[in-house]
Coordinates of all heavy atoms in Angstrom, one line a residue:
M1 N 2.8 -35.2 -3.5 CA 3.5 -34.0 -3.0 C 3.6 -33.0 -4.3 O 4.2 -33.3 -5.3 CB 4.9 -34.3 -2.6 CG 5.4 -33.3 -1.6 SD 7.2 -33.6 -1.1 CE 6.9 -34.9 0.1
P2 N 2.9 -31.9 -4.2 CA 2.9 -31.0 -5.3 C 4.3 -30.4 -5.6 O 5.1 -30.2 -4.7 CB 2.0 -29.9 -4.9 CG 1.6 -30.1 -3.5 CD 2.1 -31.4 -3.1
Q3 N 4.5 -30.3 -6.9 CA 5.8 -29.7 -7.3 C 5.6 -28.3 -7.7 O 4.7 -28.0 -8.6 CB 6.4 -30.5 -8.4 CG 8.0 -30.5 -8.3 CD 8.6 -31.4 -9.4 OE1 8.4 -31.2 -10.6 NE2 9.3 -32.4 -9.0
I4 N 6.3 -27.4 -7.2 CA 6.2 -26.0 -7.6 C 7.5 -25.6 -8.3 O 8.5 -26.2 -8.2 CB 5.9 -25.0 -6.4 CG1 7.0 -25.1 -5.4 CG2 4.5 -25.3 -5.8 CD1 6.8 -24.1 -4.3
I5 N 7.5 -24.4 -9.0 CA 8.7 -23.9 -9.7 C 9.0 -22.6 -9.0 O 8.2 -21.7 -9.0 CB 8.4 -23.7 -11.1 CG1 8.0 -25.0 -11.8 CG2 9.6 -23.1 -11.9 CD1 7.1 -24.8 -13.0
V6 N 10.2 -22.6 -8.4 CA 10.6 -21.3 -7.7 C 11.6 -20.6 -8.6 O 12.5 -21.1 -9.2 CB 11.3 -21.7 -6.4 CG1 11.8 -20.4 -5.7 CG2 10.4 -22.5 -5.5
V7 N 11.3 -19.3 -8.7 CA 12.2 -18.4 -9.6 C 12.9 -17.5 -8.6 O 12.3 -16.7 -7.9 CB 11.3 -17.6 -10.6 CG1 12.2 -16.8 -11.5 CG2 10.4 -18.5 -11.3
N8 N 14.3 -17.5 -8.7 CA 15.1 -16.7 -7.8 C 15.3 -15.3 -8.4 O 14.8 -14.9 -9.5 CB 16.4 -17.4 -7.4 CG 17.3 -17.4 -8.6 OD1 17.2 -16.8 -9.6 ND2 18.4 -18.2 -8.4
H9 N 16.1 -14.5 -7.7 CA 16.2 -13.0 -8.1 C 16.9 -13.0 -9.4 O 16.9 -12.0 -10.1 CB 17.1 -12.3 -7.1 CG 16.3 -12.0 -5.8 ND1 16.9 -11.6 -4.7 CD2 14.9 -12.0 -5.6 CE1 15.9 -11.3 -3.7 NE2 14.7 -11.6 -4.3
S10 N 17.7 -14.0 -9.8 CA 18.4 -14.0 -11.1 C 17.5 -14.5 -12.2 O 17.9 -14.5 -13.4 CB 19.7 -14.9 -11.1 OG 20.4 -14.6 -9.9
G11 N 16.3 -14.9 -11.9 CA 15.4 -15.4 -12.9 C 15.6 -16.9 -13.2 O 15.0 -17.5 -14.1
E12 N 16.4 -17.6 -12.4 CA 16.6 -19.1 -12.6 C 15.4 -19.8 -11.9 O 15.0 -19.5 -10.8 CB 17.9 -19.5 -11.9 CG 19.1 -19.0 -12.6 CD 20.4 -18.9 -11.6 OE1 20.3 -19.3 -10.4 OE2 21.4 -18.5 -12.1
E13 N 15.0 -20.8 -12.6 CA 13.9 -21.6 -12.2 C 14.3 -23.0 -11.6 O 15.2 -23.6 -12.2 CB 12.9 -21.9 -13.3 CG 12.4 -20.6 -14.0 CD 11.3 -20.9 -15.0 OE1 11.0 -22.1 -15.3 OE2 10.8 -19.9 -15.6
S14 N 13.7 -23.4 -10.5 CA 14.0 -24.7 -9.9 C 12.8 -25.4 -9.5 O 11.8 -24.7 -9.0 CB 14.9 -24.5 -8.5 OG 15.9 -23.6 -8.8
N15 N 12.7 -26.7 -9.7 CA 11.6 -27.4 -9.3 C 11.8 -27.8 -7.8 O 12.9 -28.2 -7.4 CB 11.5 -28.7 -10.1 CG 11.0 -28.4 -11.5 OD1 10.3 -27.5 -11.7 ND2 11.5 -29.3 -12.4
V16 N 10.7 -27.6 -7.0 CA 10.8 -27.9 -5.6 C 9.6 -28.7 -5.2 O 8.4 -28.5 -5.6 CB 10.7 -26.5 -4.9 CG1 10.4 -26.7 -3.4 CG2 12.1 -25.8 -5.0
E17 N 9.8 -29.8 -4.5 CA 8.8 -30.6 -3.9 C 8.2 -29.9 -2.6 O 9.0 -29.6 -1.8 CB 9.3 -32.0 -3.4 CG 10.0 -32.8 -4.5 CD 9.0 -33.6 -5.3 OE1 7.8 -33.8 -4.8 OE2 9.4 -34.2 -6.3
A18 N 7.0 -29.6 -2.6 CA 6.4 -28.9 -1.5 C 5.4 -29.8 -0.8 O 4.5 -30.3 -1.4 CB 5.7 -27.6 -2.0
S19 N 5.6 -30.0 0.5 CA 4.7 -30.9 1.3 C 3.4 -30.2 1.6 O 3.4 -29.0 2.1 CB 5.3 -31.3 2.6 OG 6.5 -31.8 2.5
E20 N 2.3 -30.9 1.3 CA 1.0 -30.3 1.7 C 0.9 -30.2 3.2 O 1.5 -31.0 4.0 CB -0.1 -31.2 1.2 CG -0.4 -31.1 -0.3 CD -1.5 -32.1 -0.7 OE1 -2.6 -31.9 -0.4 OE2 -1.1 -33.0 -1.5
G21 N 0.3 -29.1 3.6 CA 0.1 -28.9 5.1 C 1.2 -27.9 5.6 O 1.1 -27.4 6.7
R22 N 2.2 -27.6 4.8 CA 3.2 -26.6 5.2 C 2.8 -25.4 4.4 O 1.9 -25.3 3.6 CB 4.6 -27.1 4.8 CG 4.9 -28.5 5.3 CD 6.4 -28.7 5.5 NE 6.8 -28.0 6.7 CZ 8.1 -27.7 7.0 NH1 9.0 -28.0 6.1 NH2 8.4 -27.0 8.1
T23 N 3.6 -24.3 4.7 CA 3.3 -23.1 3.9 C 4.3 -23.0 2.7 O 5.4 -23.6 2.7 CB 3.5 -21.8 4.8 OG1 4.8 -21.7 5.2 CG2 2.6 -21.9 6.0
L24 N 3.9 -22.2 1.8 CA 4.8 -21.9 0.7 C 6.2 -21.4 1.1 O 7.2 -21.8 0.6 CB 4.1 -20.9 -0.2 CG 4.4 -20.9 -1.7 CD1 4.4 -22.3 -2.3 CD2 3.3 -20.0 -2.4
M25 N 6.2 -20.5 2.1 CA 7.4 -20.0 2.7 C 8.3 -21.1 3.2 O 9.5 -21.2 2.9 CB 7.1 -19.0 3.8 CG 8.3 -18.4 4.5 SD 9.0 -19.5 5.8 CE 8.0 -19.0 7.2
E26 N 7.8 -22.0 3.9 CA 8.6 -23.1 4.5 C 9.1 -24.0 3.3 O 10.3 -24.4 3.4 CB 7.7 -24.0 5.4 CG 7.4 -23.2 6.7 CD 6.3 -23.9 7.5 OE1 5.4 -24.6 7.0 OE2 6.4 -23.8 8.8
A27 N 8.3 -24.2 2.3 CA 8.7 -25.1 1.2 C 9.9 -24.4 0.5 O 10.9 -25.1 0.1 CB 7.6 -25.3 0.3
I28 N 9.8 -23.1 0.3 CA 10.9 -22.4 -0.4 C 12.2 -22.3 0.5 O 13.2 -22.7 0.1 CB 10.4 -21.0 -0.8 CG1 9.3 -21.1 -1.8 CG2 11.5 -20.2 -1.4 CD1 8.6 -19.8 -2.1
R29 N 12.0 -21.9 1.7 CA 13.1 -21.7 2.6 C 13.8 -23.0 2.9 O 15.1 -23.1 2.8 CB 12.6 -21.1 4.0 CG 13.7 -20.9 5.0 CD 13.0 -20.7 6.4 NE 12.3 -21.8 6.8 CZ 11.5 -21.9 7.9 NH1 11.4 -20.8 8.6 NH2 10.9 -23.0 8.3
D30 N 13.1 -24.1 3.1 CA 13.6 -25.4 3.4 C 14.4 -26.0 2.2 O 15.0 -27.1 2.4 CB 12.6 -26.3 4.0 CG 12.1 -25.8 5.3 OD1 12.6 -24.8 5.9 OD2 11.0 -26.4 5.8
N31 N 14.1 -25.5 1.1 CA 14.9 -26.0 -0.1 C 16.1 -25.1 -0.4 O 16.6 -25.2 -1.5 CB 13.9 -26.1 -1.3 CG 13.1 -27.4 -1.2 OD1 13.6 -28.5 -1.6 ND2 11.9 -27.3 -0.7
G32 N 16.5 -24.3 0.5 CA 17.7 -23.6 0.4 C 17.7 -22.2 -0.3 O 18.8 -21.7 -0.7
F33 N 16.6 -21.6 -0.5 CA 16.6 -20.3 -1.1 C 16.8 -19.2 -0.1 O 15.8 -18.8 0.6 CB 15.2 -20.1 -1.8 CG 15.1 -21.0 -3.0 CD1 14.5 -22.3 -2.9 CD2 15.5 -20.6 -4.3 CE1 14.3 -23.1 -3.9 CE2 15.4 -21.5 -5.4 CZ 14.8 -22.8 -5.2
D34 N 18.0 -18.8 0.1 CA 18.2 -17.8 1.2 C 17.8 -16.4 0.8 O 17.9 -15.5 1.6 CB 19.6 -17.9 1.8 CG 20.7 -17.8 0.7 OD1 20.3 -17.5 -0.5 OD2 21.9 -18.1 0.9
E35 N 17.4 -16.2 -0.4 CA 16.9 -14.9 -0.8 C 15.5 -14.6 -0.2 O 15.1 -13.5 -0.1 CB 16.7 -14.8 -2.4 CG 17.9 -14.9 -3.2 CD 17.7 -15.0 -4.6 OE1 16.6 -15.4 -5.0 OE2 18.6 -14.8 -5.4
L36 N 14.8 -15.7 0.2 CA 13.6 -15.5 0.9 C 13.9 -15.5 2.4 O 14.1 -16.5 3.1 CB 12.6 -16.7 0.6 CG 11.2 -16.4 1.1 CD1 10.4 -15.8 -0.1 CD2 10.5 -17.7 1.5
L37 N 14.0 -14.3 2.9 CA 14.5 -14.1 4.3 C 13.6 -14.7 5.4 O 14.0 -15.3 6.3 CB 14.8 -12.6 4.6 CG 15.9 -12.0 3.6 CD1 16.0 -10.5 4.0 CD2 17.2 -12.8 3.8
A38 N 12.2 -14.4 5.2 CA 11.2 -14.9 6.2 C 11.7 -14.6 7.6 O 11.6 -15.5 8.5 CB 11.0 -16.4 6.0
L39 N 12.0 -13.4 7.9 CA 12.6 -13.0 9.1 C 11.8 -13.2 10.4 O 12.2 -13.6 11.4 CB 13.0 -11.5 9.1 CG 14.2 -11.2 8.2 CD1 14.5 -9.7 8.2 CD2 15.5 -11.9 8.6
C40 N 10.4 -13.1 10.2 CA 9.6 -13.3 11.4 C 9.2 -14.8 11.6 O 8.5 -15.1 12.6 CB 8.4 -12.4 11.3 SG 7.1 -13.0 10.2
G41 N 9.7 -15.6 10.7 CA 9.4 -17.1 10.9 C 8.0 -17.5 10.6 O 7.6 -18.6 10.9
G42 N 7.2 -16.6 9.9 CA 5.9 -17.0 9.4 C 4.7 -16.4 10.2 O 3.6 -16.9 10.0
C43 N 5.0 -15.4 11.1 CA 3.8 -14.9 11.9 C 3.3 -13.6 11.3 O 2.6 -12.8 12.0 CB 4.2 -14.8 13.3 SG 5.6 -13.8 13.7
C44 N 3.5 -13.4 10.0 CA 2.8 -12.3 9.2 C 3.1 -11.0 9.9 O 2.3 -10.2 10.1 CB 1.3 -12.5 9.2 SG 0.5 -11.5 8.0
S45 N 4.5 -10.7 10.1 CA 4.8 -9.4 10.7 C 6.1 -8.8 10.0 O 6.6 -7.8 10.5 CB 5.0 -9.5 12.2 OG 6.0 -10.3 12.5
C46 N 6.6 -9.4 9.0 CA 7.9 -8.8 8.4 C 7.8 -8.5 6.9 O 8.5 -7.6 6.5 CB 9.0 -9.8 8.7 SG 9.0 -11.2 7.7
A47 N 7.0 -9.3 6.2 CA 6.9 -9.0 4.7 C 8.2 -9.5 3.9 O 8.3 -9.2 2.7 CB 6.5 -7.6 4.3
T48 N 9.1 -10.2 4.6 CA 10.4 -10.6 3.8 C 10.2 -11.9 3.2 O 11.1 -12.5 2.7 CB 11.6 -10.6 4.7 OG1 11.3 -11.5 5.8 CG2 11.9 -9.2 5.3
C49 N 8.9 -12.4 3.2 CA 8.6 -13.7 2.5 C 7.8 -13.4 1.2 O 7.1 -14.3 0.7 CB 7.9 -14.7 3.4 SG 6.3 -14.1 3.9
H50 N 7.8 -12.1 0.8 CA 7.0 -11.7 -0.4 C 7.4 -12.5 -1.7 O 8.6 -12.6 -2.0 CB 7.4 -10.2 -0.5 CG 6.6 -9.5 -1.6 ND1 6.9 -8.2 -1.9 CD2 5.6 -9.9 -2.4 CE1 6.0 -7.8 -2.9 NE2 5.3 -8.8 -3.2
V51 N 6.3 -13.0 -2.3 CA 6.5 -13.6 -3.6 C 5.5 -13.1 -4.6 O 4.4 -12.6 -4.2 CB 6.4 -15.2 -3.5 CG1 7.5 -15.8 -2.6 CG2 5.0 -15.6 -2.9
H52 N 5.7 -13.4 -5.8 CA 4.7 -13.2 -6.9 C 4.2 -14.5 -7.4 O 5.1 -15.4 -7.8 CB 5.3 -12.4 -8.1 CG 5.8 -11.0 -7.6 ND1 4.9 -10.1 -7.1 CD2 7.0 -10.5 -7.6 CE1 5.7 -8.9 -6.8 NE2 6.9 -9.2 -7.1
I53 N 2.9 -14.7 -7.4 CA 2.4 -16.0 -7.7 C 2.0 -16.0 -9.2 O 1.6 -15.0 -9.8 CB 1.0 -16.2 -6.9 CG1 1.3 -16.1 -5.4 CG2 0.3 -17.5 -7.3 CD1 2.0 -17.3 -4.8
D54 N 2.2 -17.2 -9.8 CA 1.7 -17.4 -11.2 C 0.3 -16.9 -11.3 O -0.6 -17.3 -10.6 CB 1.8 -18.9 -11.3 CG 1.7 -19.4 -12.7 OD1 1.0 -18.8 -13.5 OD2 2.3 -20.5 -13.0
P55 N 0.0 -16.0 -12.3 CA -1.4 -15.4 -12.4 C -2.4 -16.5 -12.5 O -3.5 -16.3 -12.0 CB -1.3 -14.6 -13.7 CG 0.2 -14.2 -13.8 CD 1.0 -15.4 -13.2
A56 N -2.1 -17.6 -13.2 CA -3.1 -18.6 -13.4 C -3.6 -19.3 -12.1 O -4.6 -20.1 -12.0 CB -2.6 -19.7 -14.4
Y57 N -2.8 -19.1 -11.0 CA -3.1 -19.8 -9.7 C -3.7 -18.9 -8.6 O -3.9 -19.4 -7.6 CB -1.8 -20.5 -9.2 CG -1.3 -21.6 -10.0 CD1 -0.7 -21.5 -11.2 CD2 -1.6 -22.9 -9.5 CE1 -0.3 -22.6 -12.0 CE2 -1.1 -24.1 -10.3 CZ -0.5 -23.8 -11.5 OH -0.1 -24.9 -12.2
M58 N -3.8 -17.6 -9.0 CA -4.2 -16.7 -7.9 C -5.6 -17.1 -7.3 O -5.8 -16.9 -6.1 CB -4.3 -15.3 -8.5 CG -3.0 -14.6 -8.7 SD -2.0 -14.5 -7.3 CE -2.7 -13.1 -6.4
D59 N -6.4 -17.6 -8.1 CA -7.8 -18.0 -7.5 C -7.8 -19.3 -6.8 O -8.8 -19.7 -6.3 CB -8.9 -18.0 -8.7 CG -8.6 -19.0 -9.7 OD1 -7.6 -19.7 -9.6 OD2 -9.5 -19.2 -10.6
K60 N -6.6 -19.9 -6.7 CA -6.5 -21.2 -5.9 C -6.0 -20.9 -4.5 O -5.8 -21.9 -3.8 CB -5.6 -22.2 -6.6 CG -6.1 -22.5 -8.1 CD -5.2 -23.6 -8.7 CE -5.4 -23.7 -10.2 NZ -6.8 -23.9 -10.6
L61 N -5.8 -19.7 -4.2 CA -5.2 -19.3 -2.9 C -6.3 -18.9 -2.0 O -7.3 -18.3 -2.4 CB -4.1 -18.3 -3.1 CG -3.0 -18.5 -4.1 CD1 -2.0 -17.4 -4.0 CD2 -2.4 -19.8 -3.9
P62 N -6.1 -19.0 -0.7 CA -7.1 -18.4 0.3 C -7.0 -16.9 0.2 O -6.0 -16.3 -0.2 CB -6.6 -18.9 1.6 CG -5.2 -19.3 1.4 CD -5.0 -19.6 0.0
P63 N -8.1 -16.2 0.6 CA -8.1 -14.8 0.5 C -7.1 -14.2 1.5 O -6.6 -14.8 2.4 CB -9.5 -14.4 0.9 CG -10.2 -15.6 1.4 CD -9.3 -16.8 1.1
M64 N -6.7 -13.0 1.1 CA -5.7 -12.3 1.9 C -6.3 -11.7 3.1 O -7.3 -11.1 3.1 CB -5.1 -11.2 1.0 CG -3.9 -10.5 1.5 SD -3.4 -9.2 0.3 CE -2.8 -10.2 -1.1
S65 N -5.6 -11.8 4.2 CA -6.1 -11.1 5.5 C -5.7 -9.6 5.4 O -4.9 -9.2 4.6 CB -5.4 -11.7 6.7 OG -4.0 -11.4 6.7
E66 N -6.3 -8.9 6.3 CA -6.1 -7.4 6.4 C -4.6 -7.2 6.7 O -4.0 -6.3 6.2 CB -7.0 -6.8 7.4 CG -7.3 -5.3 7.2 CD -8.3 -4.8 8.1 OE1 -9.4 -5.5 8.2 OE2 -8.0 -3.8 8.8
D67 N -4.1 -8.0 7.6 CA -2.7 -7.8 8.1 C -1.7 -8.1 6.9 O -0.7 -7.3 6.7 CB -2.3 -8.9 9.2 CG -2.9 -8.4 10.5 OD1 -3.3 -7.3 10.6 OD2 -2.8 -9.2 11.4
E68 N -2.0 -9.1 6.1 CA -1.1 -9.4 5.0 C -1.2 -8.3 4.0 O -0.2 -7.8 3.5 CB -1.5 -10.7 4.3 CG -0.7 -11.1 3.2 CD -1.0 -12.4 2.4 OE1 -2.0 -13.1 3.0 OE2 -0.4 -12.7 1.4
N69 N -2.4 -7.8 3.8 CA -2.6 -6.7 2.8 C -1.8 -5.4 3.2 O -1.1 -4.8 2.5 CB -4.1 -6.4 2.7 CG -4.4 -5.5 1.6 OD1 -3.7 -5.4 0.6 ND2 -5.5 -4.7 1.8
D70 N -1.9 -5.1 4.5 CA -1.2 -3.9 5.1 C 0.3 -4.1 4.9 O 1.0 -3.2 4.5 CB -1.5 -3.7 6.6 CG -2.9 -3.2 6.7 OD1 -3.6 -2.8 5.7 OD2 -3.4 -3.2 7.9
L71 N 0.8 -5.3 5.2 CA 2.3 -5.5 5.1 C 2.7 -5.4 3.7 O 3.8 -4.8 3.4 CB 2.6 -6.9 5.7 CG 2.9 -7.0 7.2 CD1 3.0 -8.4 7.6 CD2 4.1 -6.2 7.6
L72 N 2.0 -5.9 2.8 CA 2.4 -5.9 1.4 C 2.4 -4.5 0.9 O 3.2 -4.1 0.0 CB 1.4 -6.7 0.5 CG 1.8 -8.3 0.5 CD1 0.6 -9.0 -0.1 CD2 3.1 -8.5 -0.1
D73 N 1.5 -3.6 1.5 CA 1.5 -2.2 1.1 C 2.8 -1.5 1.4 O 3.2 -0.5 0.8 CB 0.4 -1.5 1.8 CG -0.9 -1.4 1.0 OD1 -0.8 -1.7 -0.2 OD2 -1.9 -1.2 1.5
S74 N 3.6 -2.1 2.3 CA 4.9 -1.4 2.7 C 6.0 -1.8 1.7 O 7.1 -1.3 1.7 CB 5.3 -1.9 4.1 OG 5.6 -3.3 4.1
S75 N 5.7 -2.7 0.7 CA 6.7 -3.1 -0.3 C 6.6 -2.3 -1.6 O 5.5 -2.1 -2.1 CB 6.4 -4.6 -0.7 OG 7.3 -4.9 -1.8
G76 N 7.7 -1.8 -2.0 CA 7.7 -1.1 -3.3 C 7.6 -2.0 -4.5 O 7.5 -1.6 -5.6
H77 N 7.6 -3.3 -4.2 CA 7.6 -4.3 -5.3 C 6.3 -5.0 -5.4 O 6.1 -6.0 -6.1 CB 8.7 -5.3 -5.2 CG 10.1 -4.7 -5.2 ND1 10.6 -4.2 -6.4 CD2 10.9 -4.4 -4.2 CE1 11.8 -3.7 -6.1 NE2 12.0 -3.7 -4.8
R78 N 5.3 -4.5 -4.7 CA 3.9 -5.2 -4.7 C 3.3 -5.0 -6.1 O 3.4 -4.0 -6.7 CB 3.0 -4.5 -3.7 CG 1.7 -5.2 -3.6 CD 0.8 -4.7 -2.6 NE -0.3 -5.6 -2.4 CZ -1.3 -5.5 -1.5 NH1 -1.2 -4.5 -0.6 NH2 -2.3 -6.4 -1.5
N79 N 2.7 -6.1 -6.5 CA 1.9 -6.0 -7.8 C 0.6 -6.9 -7.5 O 0.4 -7.4 -6.4 CB 2.6 -6.4 -9.0 CG 3.0 -7.9 -9.1 OD1 2.5 -8.7 -8.3 ND2 3.9 -8.2 -9.9
E80 N -0.2 -7.0 -8.5 CA -1.5 -7.8 -8.3 C -1.3 -9.2 -8.0 O -2.2 -9.9 -7.6 CB -2.4 -7.5 -9.5 CG -1.9 -8.1 -10.8 CD -2.7 -7.7 -12.0 OE1 -3.9 -7.9 -12.0 OE2 -2.1 -7.0 -12.9
Y81 N -0.1 -9.7 -8.2 CA 0.2 -11.2 -7.9 C 1.0 -11.4 -6.6 O 1.6 -12.4 -6.4 CB 0.9 -11.8 -9.2 CG 0.1 -11.5 -10.4 CD1 0.7 -10.7 -11.4 CD2 -1.1 -12.0 -10.5 CE1 -0.1 -10.5 -12.6 CE2 -1.9 -11.8 -11.7 CZ -1.4 -11.0 -12.7 OH -2.1 -10.7 -13.8
S82 N 1.1 -10.3 -5.8 CA 1.9 -10.5 -4.6 C 1.2 -11.2 -3.5 O 0.0 -11.0 -3.3 CB 2.1 -9.0 -4.1 OG 3.1 -8.4 -4.9
R83 N 1.9 -12.0 -2.8 CA 1.4 -12.6 -1.6 C 2.6 -12.8 -0.6 O 3.7 -12.8 -1.0 CB 0.8 -14.0 -1.8 CG -0.5 -14.1 -2.6 CD -1.7 -13.4 -1.9 NE -2.0 -13.9 -0.6 CZ -3.0 -14.7 -0.3 NH1 -3.9 -15.0 -1.3 NH2 -3.3 -15.0 0.9
L84 N 2.2 -12.9 0.7 CA 3.2 -13.3 1.6 C 3.3 -14.8 1.7 O 2.2 -15.4 2.0 CB 3.0 -12.7 3.0 CG 3.1 -11.2 3.1 CD1 2.8 -10.7 4.5 CD2 4.4 -10.6 2.6
S85 N 4.4 -15.4 1.4 CA 4.3 -16.9 1.2 C 4.1 -17.6 2.4 O 3.7 -18.8 2.4 CB 5.6 -17.4 0.5 OG 6.8 -17.0 1.3
C86 N 4.3 -17.0 3.6 CA 4.0 -17.7 4.9 C 2.5 -17.8 5.1 O 2.0 -18.5 6.0 CB 4.7 -17.0 6.0 SG 4.0 -15.4 6.5
Q87 N 1.7 -17.1 4.3 CA 0.3 -17.1 4.5 C -0.4 -17.9 3.5 O -1.7 -18.0 3.4 CB -0.3 -15.6 4.5 CG 0.3 -14.7 5.5 CD 0.1 -15.2 6.9 OE1 -1.0 -15.4 7.3 NE2 1.2 -15.5 7.7
V88 N 0.4 -18.6 2.7 CA -0.2 -19.5 1.6 C 0.1 -21.0 1.9 O 1.2 -21.4 1.9 CB 0.4 -19.1 0.3 CG1 -0.1 -20.0 -0.8 CG2 0.2 -17.6 -0.1
P89 N -1.0 -21.7 2.2 CA -0.7 -23.1 2.5 C -0.4 -23.9 1.2 O -1.0 -23.6 0.1 CB -2.0 -23.6 3.1 CG -3.1 -22.6 2.7 CD -2.4 -21.3 2.4
V90 N 0.4 -24.9 1.2 CA 0.6 -25.7 0.1 C -0.5 -26.7 -0.1 O -0.9 -27.4 0.9 CB 2.0 -26.5 0.3 CG1 2.1 -27.5 -0.9 CG2 3.1 -25.5 0.3
T91 N -1.1 -26.7 -1.2 CA -2.2 -27.7 -1.5 C -1.9 -28.3 -2.9 O -1.1 -27.8 -3.7 CB -3.5 -27.0 -1.6 OG1 -3.5 -26.1 -2.7 CG2 -3.9 -26.3 -0.3
A92 N -2.6 -29.4 -3.1 CA -2.4 -30.1 -4.4 C -2.7 -29.2 -5.6 O -2.2 -29.4 -6.7 CB -3.3 -31.3 -4.4
A93 N -3.6 -28.2 -5.3 CA -4.0 -27.3 -6.4 C -2.8 -26.4 -6.9 O -2.8 -25.8 -8.0 CB -5.1 -26.4 -5.9
L94 N -1.7 -26.4 -6.1 CA -0.6 -25.6 -6.5 C 0.4 -26.4 -7.4 O 1.5 -25.8 -7.8 CB 0.2 -25.1 -5.3 CG -0.5 -24.0 -4.5 CD1 0.4 -23.5 -3.4 CD2 -1.1 -22.9 -5.3
E95 N 0.1 -27.6 -7.8 CA 1.0 -28.4 -8.7 C 1.3 -27.6 -9.9 O 0.4 -27.1 -10.6 CB 0.2 -29.7 -9.1 CG 0.9 -30.5 -10.1 CD 2.3 -31.1 -9.6 OE1 2.3 -31.5 -8.4 OE2 3.2 -31.2 -10.3
G96 N 2.6 -27.4 -10.2 CA 3.1 -26.7 -11.4 C 3.1 -25.2 -11.3 O 3.4 -24.5 -12.3
C97 N 2.7 -24.6 -10.1 CA 2.7 -23.2 -9.9 C 4.1 -22.6 -9.9 O 5.0 -23.0 -9.3 CB 1.9 -22.9 -8.6 SG 1.8 -21.1 -8.3
K98 N 4.2 -21.5 -10.6 CA 5.5 -20.8 -10.6 C 5.4 -19.7 -9.6 O 4.5 -18.8 -9.6 CB 5.7 -20.2 -12.0 CG 7.1 -19.8 -12.3 CD 7.3 -19.2 -13.7 CE 7.5 -20.3 -14.7 NZ 8.0 -19.8 -16.0
V99 N 6.4 -19.6 -8.7 CA 6.5 -18.7 -7.6 C 7.7 -17.9 -7.7 O 8.9 -18.5 -7.6 CB 6.4 -19.4 -6.2 CG1 6.4 -18.4 -5.1 CG2 5.1 -20.3 -6.1
T100 N 7.6 -16.6 -7.8 CA 8.8 -15.8 -8.0 C 9.1 -15.0 -6.7 O 8.3 -14.3 -6.2 CB 8.6 -14.8 -9.2 OG1 8.2 -15.5 -10.3 CG2 9.9 -14.0 -9.5
I101 N 10.4 -15.2 -6.2 CA 10.7 -14.5 -5.0 C 10.9 -13.0 -5.4 O 11.6 -12.6 -6.3 CB 12.1 -15.0 -4.5 CG1 11.9 -16.5 -4.2 CG2 12.5 -14.2 -3.2 CD1 13.2 -17.2 -3.8
A102 N 10.1 -12.1 -4.6 CA 10.1 -10.7 -4.9 C 11.4 -10.1 -4.6 O 12.1 -10.6 -3.7 CB 9.0 -10.1 -4.1
Q103 N 11.8 -9.1 -5.3 CA 13.0 -8.3 -5.0 C 12.9 -7.7 -3.6 O 11.8 -7.4 -3.1 CB 13.3 -7.2 -6.0 CG 13.4 -7.7 -7.4 CD 14.7 -8.5 -7.7 OE1 15.8 -8.2 -7.1 NE2 14.6 -9.6 -8.5
E104 N 14.1 -7.6 -3.0 CA 14.1 -7.0 -1.6 C 13.7 -5.5 -1.7 O 14.2 -4.8 -2.6 CB 15.5 -7.2 -0.9 CG 15.5 -8.4 -0.1 CD 16.9 -8.6 0.5 OE1 17.3 -7.7 1.3 OE2 17.6 -9.5 0.0
D105 N 13.1 -5.0 -0.6 CA 12.9 -3.6 -0.6 C 14.0 -2.9 0.0 O 14.8 -3.4 0.8 CB 11.6 -3.3 0.3 CG 10.3 -3.7 -0.5 OD1 10.1 -3.1 -1.6 OD2 9.6 -4.6 -0.1
Ligands
LIG201 S1 7.8 -14.7 7.2 FE1 7.4 -12.8 8.0 S2 5.6 -12.2 7.1 FE2 6.0 -14.1 6.2

């Protein structure tokens, strides 16, 4: 089970066990991070699961869909490492990846 590092709004880091086959959003939410609202439940329509991915891991993620790209455009906190965590599957390649919960818009 890959271990990821979740960084909350205060900059505190926590190690989280993430099950493969789930999404990054589920792994973060199910470990009690209520800053990640994930209001739409993972159907790529709210952008409240916005995270910033460790730059070294960006090329290990699947490409972004047009919908995800459009939704991220609505965020004032978007940067080149932005993803919607409900669109990112947990894989072994994410072992040690640092994931920062984006500030709310
Ligand atoms: S949970 Fe709504 S877009 Fe990811």
Side-chain angles (χ1 to χ4, degrees):
M1 201 183 282
Q3 214 175 61
I4 58 170
I5 302 154
V6 179
V7 185
N8 71 10
H9 286 166
S10 314
E12 291 157 359
E13 299 186 2
S14 314
N15 289 329
V16 162
E17 302 273 349
S19 308
E20 284 177 68
R22 308 207 74 198
T23 66
L24 208 46
M25 177 277 274
E26 290 167 328
I28 297 170
R29 182 195 61 189
D30 296 351
N31 277 280
F33 292 89
D34 52 10
E35 291 172 345
L36 193 90
L37 298 176
L39 290 175
C40 79
C43 58
C44 197
S45 62
C46 73
T48 60
C49 65
H50 183 183
V51 295
H52 299 296
I53 303 284
D54 196 326
Y57 288 77
M58 285 304 280
D59 63 354
K60 302 184 194 306
L61 308 186
M64 191 181 288
S65 69
E66 207 172 308
D67 283 348
E68 182 182 353
N69 190 30
D70 287 349
L71 274 171
L72 280 169
D73 265 346
S74 66
S75 169
H77 300 284
R78 182 175 193 173
N79 67 20
E80 59 190 304
Y81 307 115
S82 288
R83 291 298 302 255
L84 295 181
S85 56
C86 71
Q87 302 302 302
V88 177
V90 173
T91 63
L94 291 187
E95 174 67 40
C97 179
K98 198 180 274 193
V99 180
T100 304
I101 301 173
Q103 297 295 322
E104 264 178 69
D105 285 301

